[in-house]
Amino acid sequence: MKRLLLGLLAVAVAGSGCVSGGQVRADSEVIEHDIERARRQGAMKCAPRELATAEADVEFAQGELSEGKSGPANDHVKAAEVAIKRALELSKGCAPKQVLIEHGPPVVTPPTKKPVVIKIETADKDNDGVPDDLDKCPDQAEDKDGFQDEDGCPDPDNDGDGVLDLNDRCPNIPGPASNFGCPVPQATDKDGDGVPDELDKCPDQPEDKDGFQDEDGCPDPDNDGDGLVDAVDRCPNVAGPITNFGCPVLDKDGDGIPDNLDRCPDEPEDKDGFQDEDGCPDLDNDADGVPDTLDACPNLAGPATNHGCPVGDSDGDGVADDADKCPTVPGPKENAGCPWPDADHDGIPDKDDKCPDVPGTADLQGCPKKYKLVTVTKGLIEIKKQILFKTNSSKIIGRTSGQILGEVAQVLKDNPSIKHVRIEGHTDSTGTELHNLKLSQDRADSVKAALIGEGIEPTRLESIGYGQSKPIASNKTSKGRAKNRRTEFHIVNEGEQTPPPPTPAPAP
Amino acid sequence: LELSQDRFRGKNGMKRPFALALTLGLLAGCGPVQSTAYLIDAQVQIEAARTAGADKYALYEYTAANLYLHQSRVETGYSNYDNALLYAKKASEFARQAKTNAEAAASQEAGGTSGGSQTP
């Protein structure tokens, strides 16, 4: 029956896994040993009440342990412990130092004779209740801890795990000192992520092992919590907007322009209102070589001598006034802002004009075109033959006169640089002066009309009759009077004033 | 059952109830009735032992009998009839032994010839 109870007790203790139950069981075993010792000491005689109490309470405790009632069992064990201690105390010196062993059935002898007995003295030097002849360690008292107590030798480390029983919470089961001598339970890992369940905050979800908080056992699908799962997050551990693929918008130079828009991400924009949106500093906005910090006109190119401000160009020829020797007249830079000289005003600078004193055309490098009846000289279109008029009339006559006028008209067409031509009419001294003056005017007008008829703009033409006031030869001879009857074409360019009528030359 | 005819011939007035309970227990075969019957039997035995001077001459057995009787009642209170029955039987056994030992010791002290009994 006792074995059955012990078996049930062991099953109950193993099943419950309750530490206090195991302790109660261990204590009851110790008390059982003490009961045996008390019996040997003669407690049956000297402390029968205490012995009976201890034995009964131990049995009650074991019965309750078998039913899993560790609390009541503990109460009985404590009662038993008190009782057995008292029993041991009362039975000190009560046990006989001799053990009486009777061999065979009691011998019936006459009442007058004492029974034959064999007395064997048994010593117990260490007083541990194990006779020396059975005690493997007769000089060391057995520790009576329920573990191999019958050999008489103390076992300071029952399970041999290196942790003394005094410090061993599981004295009969090997275990490391780090776990107080108890065995370390095998770690389980349900999700197989390598993190033991006891350390795994998510034992049913495998850790994603992405290097981010892998020790907690929980998968982190979005490490940086920016709302973009790590699988598509280019910066999974740094929060960033979705528009930047989960990466933070950086501004390394701190100029307020994100690096992805900053052409110079390592140089801060100077924010001076000039191309500030590109993120690059513009230290010389106008690129005039004068740094903006020293440039009074940072956005207008100008020489350092003018504090970076531009110098004016009054004539708009591209040559600044301070370098323009003719600031009011446009001229090339090569000529220090002054126009090239053009003496004949034919539009071809003298330097390029092979005939600088005679208006000419560009195709003839400034030289006049050669005509049959006309020669262009400086200030004059000379006609090689005179234009003929009807006597006392302004009517132009003769074939040659028409040819002459045709060539004069051609000269004017070929030389647009000839802006203005003064047509002068002259007579000889025959007749009255007033009549001659009027006749010369009419003839000049007639020539002008003829040239207009040739296609010359009227504004280029001016007609003046001088009468007999400007003879070029003597009026006393017929040859002289013929020379005086003449028509002249004077080139009067723009800006040139019509010379005043010359004083009459003295007749030769 | 190890019931002796002597017990039925006891002088206390509990013979009839015990017999009735025992009969009912045997017929019914149920735990509560059985344990109650044995409890009553243990009480009778203990009383007999005490009358025989067990509280003086067989203190071990007498103490044990009372303890087991008490525990049997406790187990009955928890409806643990198996344990109650077991402890009641033990109580009866210890009580019988106590009575025997007490009677032997008393007669020896009185100069009788009956030998002392061995403790269990």
Side-chain angles (χ1 to χ4, degrees):
Chain A
M1 182 63 72
K2 193 171 183 178
R3 286 182 180 177
L4 175 63
L5 288 174
L6 287 172
L8 291 171
L9 175 64
V11 171
V13 169
S16 67
C18 178
V19 176
S20 62
Q23 185 62 46
V24 172
R25 178 178 172 276
D27 290 345
S28 71
E29 288 178 354
V30 171
I31 292 170
E32 280 184 318
H33 285 281
D34 288 342
I35 288 171
E36 288 300 319
R37 194 149 58 99
R39 277 182 171 275
R40 283 196 296 270
Q41 288 182 4
M44 181 62 85
K45 177 183 177 184
C46 300
R49 188 193 306 271
E50 290 75 13
L51 182 63
T53 301
E55 286 178 343
D57 277 322
V58 166
E59 186 174 348
F60 299 153
Q62 290 172 345
E64 281 157 346
L65 280 176
S66 68
E67 295 175 352
K69 301 175 183 174
S70 56
N74 191 41
D75 293 340
H76 281 295
V77 165
K78 286 185 176 176
E81 191 175 6
V82 171
I84 198 62
K85 281 183 180 176
R86 179 70 179 150
L88 286 169
E89 188 179 338
L90 292 174
S91 60
K92 272 184 183 174
C94 185
K97 290 292 183 183
Q98 297 174 337
V99 177
L100 177 62
I101 302 175
E102 292 186 8
H103 293 278
V107 178
V108 180
T109 56
T112 56
K113 292 185 179 179
K114 291 183 178 178
V116 178
V117 296
I118 300 171
K119 291 181 181 177
I120 303 172
E121 286 204 359
T122 303
D124 183 10
K125 286 188 286 185
D126 54 13
N127 200 30
D128 60 359
V130 181
D132 288 351
D133 57 342
L134 300 175
D135 197 335
K136 292 180 181 176
C137 303
D139 297 323
Q140 291 178 286
E142 173 63 57
D143 53 6
K144 300 284 185 183
D145 59 357
F147 179 78
Q148 296 179 359
D149 290 343
E150 66 281 358
D151 63 357
C153 289
D155 304 285
D157 181 12
N158 293 353
D159 52 15
D161 60 1
V163 182
L164 292 177
D165 294 347
L166 288 172
N167 302 321
D168 198 335
R169 291 186 183 175
C170 303
N172 296 326
I173 308 172
S178 59
N179 200 34
F180 305 102
C182 289
V184 178
Q186 287 292 326
T188 57
D189 182 12
K190 284 189 286 186
D191 54 13
D193 60 0
V195 181
D197 287 349
E198 62 183 5
L199 301 175
D200 198 334
K201 292 180 180 175
C202 304
D204 298 321
Q205 293 176 285
E207 174 61 61
D208 54 5
K209 299 281 186 186
D210 60 355
F212 178 80
Q213 295 181 358
D214 290 344
E215 65 282 358
D216 65 356
C218 289
D220 306 284
D222 180 14
N223 294 351
D224 52 15
D226 60 1
L228 198 60
V229 294
D230 295 345
V232 295
D233 196 333
R234 289 187 185 174
C235 303
N237 294 326
V238 186
I242 294 176
T243 53
N244 201 33
F245 304 101
C247 287
V249 178
L250 298 178
D251 181 14
K252 284 185 285 185
D253 54 13
D255 59 1
I257 300 172
D259 288 352
N260 58 339
L261 301 176
D262 198 333
R263 288 186 184 175
C264 303
D266 298 319
E267 297 177 84
E269 174 63 61
D270 56 359
K271 302 277 186 186
D272 59 356
F274 179 78
Q275 297 180 357
D276 289 344
E277 65 284 353
D278 63 357
C280 290
D282 305 284
L283 304 179
D284 182 12
N285 294 351
D286 51 15
D288 59 0
V290 181
D292 291 348
T293 52
L294 304 174
D295 198 334
C297 304
N299 295 326
L300 296 173
T305 53
N306 200 33
H307 306 288
C309 287
V311 179
D313 181 13
S314 303
D315 54 10
D317 60 359
V319 181
D321 288 351
D322 61 343
D324 197 339
K325 290 183 178 177
C326 305
T328 58
V329 182
K333 187 178 180 181
E334 292 77 16
N335 199 34
C338 288
W340 294 112
D342 181 16
D344 53 11
H345 303 289
D346 59 359
I348 298 168
D350 291 351
K351 67 184 183 65
D352 301 324
D353 197 338
K354 289 188 176 179
C355 304
D357 296 326
V358 182
T361 59
D363 54 346
L364 294 175
Q365 296 177 312
C367 289
K369 190 177 178 180
K370 299 296 183 182
Y371 300 97
K372 187 178 176 182
L373 300 172
V374 171
T375 301
V376 180
T377 62
K378 185 180 181 182
L380 192 65
I381 301 172
E382 290 184 11
I383 54 178
K384 295 177 181 176
K385 291 183 179 179
Q386 280 300 325
I387 298 170
L388 301 177
F389 297 93
K390 192 176 178 181
T391 305
N392 258 340
S393 172
S394 61
K395 184 178 180 181
I396 299 170
I397 59 172
R399 185 181 175 186
T400 304
S401 297
Q403 291 175 342
I404 292 169
L405 290 172
E407 283 201 4
V408 171
Q410 190 60 47
V411 168
L412 292 172
K413 291 176 183 175
D414 291 342
N415 297 276
S417 61
I418 300 174
K419 305 292 185 187
H420 204 78
V421 172
R422 185 174 72 244
I423 304 166
E424 296 182 0
H426 299 275
T427 65
D428 58 16
S429 58
T430 305
T432 64
E433 186 175 354
L434 182 60
H435 174 75
N436 287 336
L437 185 64
K438 185 175 183 303
L439 181 61
S440 65
Q441 182 64 52
D442 290 343
R443 287 181 174 174
D445 290 341
S446 182
V447 171
K448 178 181 176 182
L451 290 176
I452 291 170
E454 291 289 336
I456 305 302
E457 296 88 347
T459 55
R460 298 177 71 187
L461 301 173
E462 179 188 8
S463 55
I464 297 177
Y466 288 100
Q468 58 186 41
S469 62
K470 287 188 176 181
I472 57 175
S474 174
N475 280 311
K476 292 179 178 176
T477 64
S478 59
K479 285 187 179 178
R481 287 194 295 271
K483 285 185 179 179
N484 286 336
R485 294 191 297 271
R486 67 189 191 279
T487 302
E488 294 176 350
F489 298 91
H490 292 264
I491 299 170
V492 184
N493 273 334
E494 193 175 5
E496 293 183 14
Q497 298 202 351
T498 302
T503 54
Chain B
L1 295 173
E2 299 175 0
L3 299 175
S4 66
Q5 290 296 317
D6 291 342
R7 192 163 302 120
F8 283 100
R9 284 195 295 265
K11 294 180 178 178
N12 60 69
M14 299 178 72
K15 182 174 68 175
R16 289 183 184 276
F18 167 71
L20 180 61
L22 179 61
T23 304
L24 289 173
L26 290 173
L27 290 173
C30 69
V33 175
Q34 282 191 21
S35 61
T36 304
Y38 276 97
L39 266 174
I40 295 170
D41 180 55
Q43 284 178 322
V44 171
Q45 295 290 348
I46 289 171
E47 185 59 26
R50 190 190 65 78
T51 304
D55 54 348
K56 182 179 178 184
Y57 297 111
L59 197 53
Y60 173 84
E61 293 82 359
Y62 183 73
T63 301
N66 279 290
L67 288 171
Y68 277 101
L69 175 64
H70 174 75
Q71 189 62 21
S72 178
R73 287 174 175 151
V74 170
E75 297 292 342
T76 301
Y78 286 112
S79 302
N80 293 330
Y81 298 112
D82 289 344
N83 285 347
L85 182 62
L86 176 68
Y87 294 144
K89 285 181 178 178
K90 284 203 170 188
S92 296
E93 192 174 338
F94 273 114
R96 264 202 322 275
Q97 190 66 49
K99 179 173 176 285
T100 303
N101 289 353
E103 288 173 346
S107 65
Q108 191 174 27
E109 190 177 76
T113 57
S114 63
S117 65
Q118 295 293 322
T119 55

